[in-house]
Amino acid sequence: MRGLVIKNTGSWYTVLTDDGQLIDCKIKGNFRLKGIRSTNPVAVGDRVGIVPNNEGTAFITEIEDRRNYIIRKSINLSKQSHILAANVDQAILVVTVVNPQTSTTFIDRFLASAEAYRVPVILVFNKTDLLDEDTRRYQEAMVHLYQTIGYECYQISAETGAGVEALQPLLKDKITLLSGNSGVGKSTLINRLVPGASQRTAEISDAHNTGQHTTTFSEMIRLDEGWLIDTPGIKGFGTFDMEPEELTSYFKEIFHFSQDCKFSNCTHTHEPGCAVLKALEDHYIAESRYQSYLSMLEDKDEGKYRAAY
């Protein structure tokens, strides 16, 4: 029997079978040991093979090959990675410039990881209703930066509904991963996009100006035409399994200028004849993006990624 993993609650997985049944499943005994170094060897969005048992549940015995996935370094250092979702058509990264402020480092790490697995990303700037003149100007600069690089950007207020209607056509016939820092308003946005989804929402923690975790597990939400994958809010995004020489290609504008570097193995940090450093000096590459690139170059330093990303 085969099906789609639509929910992961940690130890249990809900599988929608090809004939329309919803079956709670666990991983078969030694399945974890087959070279899968992850906190979740099975991810929401996976196509799996299952074997039902007499209790009305089933064992997952096989994962079909994934066409892509979004992965980050796990906070649990005994493992290596955490897969946010598999087999997605696109990702929507919800960000906010206030209450809480999403760092450009976090945004850039997510974008680079998505680029690595060829997952298109749409940036949604939420909480426009909370912006004053200064923060609105800052958000406009952020939108301009990422649009110039080539990312679609939308400015919305999930709270008031302003701008949300522009997102609806983007979801049609797509499997869309919804991600972002804790507290950026993903659950409120889902309630706008999917009436009746009844996602729990929570107030921002005044003490730390960071989000309360309102989603504790990943789940696929059925749309009229498509799927939305809701994931728990994440405070950090450590990159996983990226070689330094590959990193340049995950930053679109840095890759563009790197073609003109004097040395083919240029790291864009100190080499003579580096076209990237020249573009940075000439303001064709944003300082924030270059700093994100440098921080990812240093990710081989175990534990560093957990600091403030």
Side-chain angles (χ1 to χ4, degrees):
M1 187 177 282
R2 313 197 78 77
L4 174 70
V5 178
I6 64 168
K7 186 190 288 189
N8 169 16
T9 58
S11 56
W12 286 94
Y13 301 87
T14 303
V15 172
L16 174 64
T17 64
D18 291 347
D19 60 3
Q21 301 178 63
L22 288 175
I23 301 179
D24 289 329
C25 302
K26 282 200 165 187
I27 296 173
K28 183 75 172 172
N30 64 354
F31 188 74
R32 293 178 179 275
L33 306 177
K34 296 181 179 178
I36 302 174
R37 297 288 294 163
S38 170
T39 56
N40 58 330
V42 177
V44 166
D46 270 329
R47 291 275 313 167
V48 294
I50 65 172
V51 176
N53 57 37
N54 295 331
E55 285 78 48
T57 59
F59 288 116
I60 294 173
T61 57
E62 177 195 354
I63 306 175
E64 293 183 16
D65 289 343
R66 295 166 173 146
R67 62 187 167 93
N68 62 30
Y69 49 88
I70 298 284
I71 191 169
R72 70 181 183 118
K73 183 165 282 192
S74 174
I75 298 303
N76 176 358
L77 292 181
S78 67
K79 302 288 185 181
Q80 291 186 345
S81 65
H82 178 78
I83 301 168
L84 297 183
N87 302 318
V88 301
D89 295 311
Q90 62 186 3
I92 287 178
L93 182 64
V94 183
V95 302
T96 47
V97 299
V98 292
N99 200 30
Q101 181 177 358
T102 305
S103 73
T104 53
T105 309
F106 177 88
I107 296 171
D108 295 337
R109 284 167 170 266
F110 188 96
L111 293 177
S113 295
E115 287 287 338
Y117 294 98
R118 298 180 179 82
V119 177
V121 180
I122 298 162
L123 289 173
V124 171
F125 290 79
N126 191 21
K127 304 192 181 181
T128 55
D129 54 306
L130 301 182
L131 302 181
D132 59 21
E133 187 177 340
D134 287 341
T135 51
R136 187 173 298 280
R137 193 178 299 117
Y138 174 68
Q139 179 166 296
E140 291 291 351
M142 292 262 286
V143 168
H144 177 72
L145 166 63
Y146 288 106
Q147 283 181 333
T148 301
I149 294 168
Y151 292 102
E152 275 189 84
C153 297
Y154 293 83
Q155 302 180 68
I156 70 160
S157 168
E159 188 65 37
T160 67
V164 174
E165 70 282 350
L167 302 180
Q168 292 281 9
L170 306 176
L171 306 177
K172 188 177 185 305
D173 298 326
K174 296 275 180 37
I175 297 173
T176 304
L177 168 70
L178 192 68
S179 191
N181 281 152
S182 306
V184 294
K186 294 190 307 300
S187 296
T188 306
L189 177 57
I190 289 173
N191 287 337
R192 288 280 180 189
L193 292 171
V194 194
S198 301
Q199 296 294 310
R200 291 181 299 123
T201 56
E203 295 299 319
I204 298 297
S205 164
D206 291 329
H208 301 98
N209 197 33
T210 57
Q212 305 281 1
H213 289 283
T214 57
T215 303
T216 55
F217 50 81
S218 298
E219 180 175 11
M220 294 184 76
I221 299 167
R222 195 193 290 272
L223 308 174
D224 289 338
E225 297 173 279
W227 290 91
L228 195 60
I229 302 179
D230 186 25
T231 56
I234 46 182
K235 295 189 186 300
F237 203 95
T239 51
F240 175 76
D241 203 22
M242 285 188 183
E243 294 304 320
E245 57 271 19
E246 298 173 346
L247 190 56
T248 300
S249 61
Y250 305 147
F251 284 75
K252 294 180 180 182
E253 73 281 35
I254 293 178
F255 181 71
H256 171 75
F257 286 103
S258 72
Q259 308 301 299
D260 296 324
C261 287
K262 182 177 180 180
F263 301 106
S264 61
N265 61 345
C266 186
T267 64
H268 321 304
T269 56
H270 64 280
E271 294 87 349
C274 175
V276 170
L277 290 176
K278 179 70 165 61
L280 179 68
E281 185 182 321
D282 294 341
H283 306 293
Y284 290 114
I285 293 174
E287 182 68 32
S288 63
R289 290 279 289 173
Y290 182 68
Q291 290 302 320
S292 295
Y293 167 77
L294 292 182
S295 82
M296 292 174 70
L297 270 184
E298 297 169 9
D299 267 8
K300 294 300 180 185
D301 174 16
E302 286 297 324
K304 175 187 178 299
Y305 69 92
R306 296 198 293 169
Y309 307 131

